[in-house]
Amino acid sequence: MNSFRALAPSSTANLGPGFDIFGLALDLFVDEIIITRKQEQNGRITISTIKQNDSMKIPYDNENNSAALVVKKMMKDYSIKDNIDIQINKGVPPGYGLGSSAASSVATAYAFDKLFHLETNLIDLISYSAEGEKASAGVKHYDNVASSMLGGFIIVRNFPSLEFIKFEPPEDLYLVVGIPNIPVPNKKTEVARSILPGSSPLNNVITNISNASTIVAGFAYKDVNMIAKGLDDKIVEPVRKRTIPGYDKVKENAINSGALALTISGAGPSVISILNTERHAHKVMEAVKGGFAAANIESKVYLCKPSKGAKNQDKISSY
Ligand code: HSE
């Protein structure tokens, strides 16, 4: 076997108060990665892609490409010297807060592990996937990679050691995602992290912990209303929403049209709203679009459900 192909889905991180802690896999977009081992043994990594249109532009150099960073680290740790080609077929739009680098990184770690029969344990595999986040965020964060790998709703525990807690989302959880058509900077997540406050007043921290606990309770009770109640964030959203034109109007519109809550998806600029029925979905989608349009921003709007994650993509295959 010389190649292995894997798929990994988009994801939304934070869900409001769960900065770097909460992730939810989204059955919306998918990245496909094919890892091929070449005959030569120079330890060289090459990157190729089938479709590279403007909305899917990703860096090609190994230092700034998420998939290459994952392969580089795994090659080093497992002393693998083969030349490796990474074929990336982007489905997740990069730079819009939908776990694009995570999807590529997760599918890469998964495929590389299978190709070389490494049998890496799942926590290490997620940790290798997080290497890819350095390309856009400058640091490893686990919310997107863990949910993209494991599916469902994930709580990241970082201390004293890396652990993940998974909940199956309620059947009646629907998400409306709005992607504004605005330019995003290179290394967008790093930029979006650099504007965050280093500390916060205790009352904001208390509100956020209360809301984050409510979200977890909502997943535990499979109660979408309860999940939505916890989405309000006093620390990150007030700062990052300034980078999203029309954000307040988009949120107000969505809630007036039947969404239970709306927040920023990951580091933005996409937004994500929570619904407990498909019935209002069309109205909410129009409302989100209208909110962006009021700020002269075009947008794409989608309805989706949670995803089961890369581990459960039935198309994972080798050849
Ligand atoms: N938790 C990360 C952040 C997610 O908000 O910076 C980035 O997608």
Side-chain angles (χ1 to χ4, degrees):
M1 179 172 76
N2 285 324
S3 293
F4 199 96
R5 167 182 178 268
L7 305 175
S10 44
S11 54
T12 187
N14 305 340
L15 289 176
F19 180 77
D20 278 1
I21 301 169
F22 293 164
L24 178 68
L26 297 179
D27 196 3
L28 180 58
F29 302 112
V30 172
D31 275 9
E32 177 192 37
I33 298 282
I34 301 167
I35 304 284
T36 303
R37 102 198 258 183
K38 306 283 193 185
Q39 296 296 340
E40 308 81 39
Q41 292 235 324
N42 302 317
R44 193 175 305 139
I45 302 169
T46 52
I47 302 164
S48 58
T49 134
I50 290 180
K51 41 180 186 202
Q52 170 96 329
N53 59 35
D54 268 359
S55 62
M56 294 289 172
K57 276 231 160 81
I58 50 165
Y60 269 100
D61 59 300
N62 291 350
E63 291 314 310
N64 290 303
N65 181 282
S66 298
L69 290 177
V70 174
V71 167
K72 203 168 145 186
K73 176 75 172 147
M74 292 181 85
M75 285 174 75
K76 180 166 177 261
D77 287 3
Y78 287 104
S79 304
I80 290 169
K81 305 261 183 306
D82 305 46
N83 286 2
I84 301 291
D85 181 69
I86 311 168
Q87 186 179 311
I88 305 171
N89 298 322
K90 286 299 296 173
V92 187
Y96 283 84
L98 295 168
S100 163
S101 49
S104 289
S105 303
V106 163
T108 298
Y110 197 99
F112 192 89
D113 178 75
K114 292 285 180 203
L115 181 61
F116 288 96
H117 309 287
L118 303 174
E119 300 194 1
T120 309
N121 72 57
L122 210 41
I123 299 210
D124 286 346
L125 211 51
I126 294 169
S127 184
Y128 281 124
S129 306
E131 288 290 323
E133 295 290 23
K134 290 181 183 166
S136 63
V139 290
K140 287 172 84 168
H141 61 91
Y142 299 90
D143 39 10
N144 290 108
V145 285
S147 51
S148 181
M149 180 72 84
L150 302 171
F153 171 67
I154 300 293
I155 302 173
V156 176
R157 286 182 45 79
N158 225 338
F159 307 103
S161 57
L162 197 56
E163 275 179 76
F164 305 100
I165 303 169
K166 174 175 170 172
F167 289 81
E168 291 299 341
E171 287 297 328
D172 55 344
L173 175 59
Y174 295 86
L175 297 312
V176 166
V177 174
I179 311 177
N181 185 10
I182 57 173
V184 286
N186 279 342
K187 295 192 174 282
K188 189 248 15 232
T189 303
E190 191 169 348
V191 174
R193 293 172 84 88
S194 71
I195 62 174
L196 298 179
S199 59
S200 287
L202 184 60
N203 56 345
N204 285 346
V205 174
I206 292 168
T207 304
N208 268 31
I209 294 174
S210 169
N211 281 340
S213 309
T214 305
I215 291 177
V216 174
F219 277 100
Y221 288 126
K222 296 201 186 295
D223 180 335
V224 178
N225 280 288
M226 195 180 281
I227 295 170
K229 258 191 213 169
L231 231 63
D232 192 33
D233 162 29
K234 298 278 180 246
I235 298 173
V236 175
E237 183 194 31
V239 181
R240 282 190 173 164
K241 73 176 185 179
R242 296 183 208 134
T243 64
I244 307 173
Y247 181 81
D248 285 333
K249 182 78 182 149
V250 168
K251 184 164 176 166
E252 187 192 318
N253 279 3
I255 289 167
N256 288 340
S257 307
L260 299 172
L262 179 142
T263 192
I264 302 169
S265 182
S270 296
V271 297
I272 186 147
S273 58
I274 290 194
L275 287 75
N276 61 0
T277 162
E278 242 175 320
R279 223 173 334 124
H280 311 302
H282 190 70
K283 266 177 77 183
V284 173
M285 289 164 81
E286 288 300 315
V288 168
K289 220 174 170 46
F292 280 124
N296 288 321
I297 303 293
E298 283 177 16
S299 59
K300 287 193 175 139
V301 185
Y302 302 89
L303 172 68
C304 68
K305 301 273 291 171
S307 161
K308 294 192 181 314
K311 285 243 349 123
N312 293 306
Q313 297 278 350
D314 52 8
K315 288 192 193 129
I316 285 173
S317 59
S318 61
Y319 56 85

